[in-house]
């Protein structure tokens, strides 16, 4: 297993971040001088954790162990048995994972192996790997974990292709939104930190946290190779599986696409906002109503703020206008045709209307439909 022999070499950290950002699912084996951790993840959620004795969780919570061999299985069992509230059980488990992740980040002999594939489904709570890492880096006021992720502050930073899908669910402060809105791929981490009105240390920790989760990309990371399947697979797949980039649906997956659109529609309804939604169209087209948009940093701030205020009703999407910088749209609803979207204008809640902006129908790509139907905290 290869290891990083230089504490200032973040190659393995950036490779893990790239894997996290793609959210394809699989297993990550993290090794360091005196330990190992295996995280089995699907769509950004940690389902299983190996390498941490579940008894450590019970000692932390002062409860009787259930005998599970996996950390999160133990946490779910404790919650199901009524010994510990699920929030506390999973919170304590997350802290134990963060403790190991910090050891991995700070060890110059850190190792990483990745494998694709969906872990077994679980009945119960899971942990967001993105939230786990962001909290870890932001809470480390020593700056050590941030330094491990971003040892060179002169590296250029850019937003990842899935920036909005990954960043919006974090629901960070408006100050954080302001900082990331200035990142365009033309400024280094040092320049962003020095030009910010906030403390350079705090800004650097934020940038490092977003780099460590693949939300921001340091320029050198674009040259990293793809993910490598190194962990042994317990059981070979009985039939070939199509590996697809996150957010893209192959033409043969019409049924899956219909389900995802239905989920997005139900999510919008759960927030109390009614929409005239329809299932997947026979043509494979999907529409929504744009309720706000813009291409400047302040526009991104506004779009993110509204998405955070109404997370179950609206969702931000990026738009390639063919220019030097991206634009952003805030969309509502999911419809099978333009006519259905236009008819739903009368149902758009007044609280979501932006003064001076005329809501209108827009066709979403497969990437936008899937990304927003499956995103979550």
């Amino acid at each position: 297993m290869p290891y990083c022999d230089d504490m200032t070499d973040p190659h393995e950290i950036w490779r893990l971040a790239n894997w996290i950002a793609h959210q394809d699912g699989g297993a990550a084996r993290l090794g360091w001088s005196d330990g190992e951790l295996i995280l089995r993840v699907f769509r950004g959620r940690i389902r299983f954790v190996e390498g941490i004795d579940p008894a450590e969780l019970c000692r932390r919570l002062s409860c009787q162990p259930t005998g599970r061999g996996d950390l999160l299985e133990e946490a779910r069992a404790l919650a199901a048995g009524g010994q510990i509230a699920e929030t506390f059980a999973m919170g304590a488990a997350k802290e134990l994972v963060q403790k190991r992740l910090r050891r991995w980040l700070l060890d110059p002999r850190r190792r990483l192996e990745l494998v694709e594939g969906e872990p077994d489904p679980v009945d119960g709570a899971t942990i967001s790997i993105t939230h786990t890492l962001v909290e870890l880096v932001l809470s480390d006021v020593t700056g050590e974990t941030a330094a491990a992720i971003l040892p060179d502050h002169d590296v250029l930073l850019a937003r990842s292709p899935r920036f909005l899908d990954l960043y919006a669910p974090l629901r960070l402060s408006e100050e954080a939104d302001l900082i990331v809105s200035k990142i365009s791929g033309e400024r280094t981490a040092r320049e962003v930190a020095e030009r910010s009105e906030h403390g350079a240390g705090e800004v650097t920790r934020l940038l490092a946290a977003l780099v460590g989760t693949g939300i921001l990309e340091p320029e050198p990371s674009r040259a990293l190779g793809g993910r490598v399947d190194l962990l042994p697979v317990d059981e070979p797949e009985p039939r070939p599986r199509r590996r697809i980039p996150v957010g893209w649906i192959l033409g043969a997956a019409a049924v899956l696409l219909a389900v995802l659109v239905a989920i997005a529609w139900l999510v919008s309804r759960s927030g109390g906002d009614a929409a005239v939604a329809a299932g997947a169209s026979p043509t494979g087209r999907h529409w929504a109503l744009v309720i706000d948009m813009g291409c400047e940093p302040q526009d991104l701030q506004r779009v993110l703020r509204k998405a955070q205020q109404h997370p179950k009703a609206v969702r931000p999407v990026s738009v390639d206008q063919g220019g030097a910088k991206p634009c952003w749209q805030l969309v509502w609803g999911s419809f099978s045709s333009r006519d259905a979207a236009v008819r739903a204008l009368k149902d758009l809640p007044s609280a979501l209307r932006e003064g001076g902006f005329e809501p209108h129908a827009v066709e979403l790509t497969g990437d936008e439909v899937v990304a927003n139907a499956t995103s979550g905290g």
Side-chain angles (χ1 to χ4, degrees), residues 251-372:
V255 174
L256 175 60
L257 191 54
V259 172
L260 292 174
V261 174
I263 291 173
W265 176 66
L266 289 174
V267 168
S268 67
R269 285 182 61 89
S270 68
D273 296 312
V276 182
S281 136
T283 63
R285 294 182 177 179
H286 303 272
W287 296 77
L289 289 177
V290 178
I291 63 173
D292 195 5
M293 68 177 296
C295 304
E296 300 299 326
Q298 61 269 24
D299 298 325
L300 173 60
Q301 285 183 268
R302 187 179 66 252
V303 166
L304 286 173
R305 185 165 57 251
K306 289 182 181 178
Q308 292 167 358
Q309 291 171 346
H310 308 280
K312 295 183 178 181
V314 298
R315 55 199 188 277
V317 299
S318 59
V319 182
D320 184 3
Q321 300 280 39
K325 55 186 176 182
C327 296
W328 302 274
Q329 295 178 332
L330 192 65
V331 302
W332 175 82
S334 181
F335 310 93
S336 61
S337 67
R338 184 181 185 280
D339 288 344
V342 172
R343 288 196 299 271
L345 279 169
K346 65 181 185 301
D347 299 314
L348 179 64
S350 58
L352 298 180
R353 294 179 180 270
E354 176 69 16
F357 184 85
E358 188 68 27
H360 58 275
V362 63
E363 184 177 6
L364 301 180
T365 67
D367 181 38
E368 291 159 348
V369 171
V370 176
N372 288 287

Side-chain angles (χ1 to χ4, degrees), residues 60-320:
R60 193 181 189 91
L61 294 172
S62 301
C63 61
Q64 292 298 316
T66 68
R68 300 301 196 279
D70 179 274
L71 179 69
L72 295 194
E73 286 282 79
E74 180 73 7
R76 287 187 284 265
L78 290 172
Q83 285 199 61
I84 301 292
E86 184 177 80
T87 302
F88 290 109
M90 299 305 290
K94 181 169 71 172
E95 290 176 2
L96 292 175
V97 172
Q98 289 173 324
K99 183 178 179 181
R100 267 59 173 197
L101 285 172
R102 188 175 190 275
R103 291 179 184 173
W104 180 78
L105 288 167
L106 298 183
D107 196 316
R109 296 181 66 86
R110 70 179 79 91
R111 306 179 301 276
L112 175 67
E113 294 183 75
L114 300 171
V115 64
E116 292 182 354
E118 181 179 355
D120 292 337
V122 297
D123 183 16
T126 55
I127 297 174
S128 166
I129 190 170
T130 301
H131 281 77
T132 298
L133 276 165
V134 168
E135 290 175 8
L136 168 61
V137 181
L138 292 182
S139 64
D140 185 1
V141 295
T142 69
E144 291 180 330
T145 53
I149 298 170
L150 271 182
D152 179 10
H153 291 181
D154 291 319
V155 66
L156 288 172
L157 296 181
R159 303 187 195 101
S160 73
R162 300 195 67 235
F163 167 76
L164 285 175
D165 300 318
L166 298 169
Y167 179 80
L170 292 176
R171 306 191 71 180
L172 298 180
S173 66
E174 291 187 15
E175 290 80 4
D177 295 346
L178 176 62
I179 293 168
V180 299
S181 71
K182 302 298 178 59
I183 296 173
S184 62
E186 298 178 352
R187 293 182 180 178
T188 65
R190 187 185 308 279
E191 290 171 333
V192 173
E194 290 179 348
R195 295 181 186 181
S196 173
E197 298 178 356
H198 307 280
E202 293 181 14
V203 176
T204 299
R205 290 202 302 275
L206 172 64
L207 299 179
L210 299 182
V211 168
T213 50
I215 298 174
L216 296 180
E217 292 184 345
E219 191 64 27
S221 72
R222 299 176 186 273
L224 291 180
R227 299 176 299 283
V228 180
D229 294 350
L230 295 175
L231 286 178
V233 179
D234 295 334
E235 295 182 7
E237 293 289 339
R239 61 183 183 277
R241 295 184 60 183
R242 286 177 174 172
R243 303 308 306 168
I244 58 176
V246 170
W248 286 97
I249 289 293
L250 296 179
V255 174
L256 175 60
L257 191 54
V259 172
L260 292 174
V261 174
I263 291 173
W265 176 66
L266 289 174
V267 168
S268 67
R269 285 182 61 89
S270 68
D273 296 312
V276 182
S281 136
T283 63
R285 294 182 177 179
H286 303 272
W287 296 77
L289 289 177
V290 178
I291 63 173
D292 195 5
M293 68 177 296
C295 304
E296 300 299 326
Q298 61 269 24
D299 298 325
L300 173 60
Q301 285 183 268
R302 187 179 66 252
V303 166
L304 286 173
R305 185 165 57 251
K306 289 182 181 178
Q308 292 167 358
Q309 291 171 346
H310 308 280
K312 295 183 178 181
V314 298
R315 55 199 188 277
V317 299
S318 59
V319 182
D320 184 3

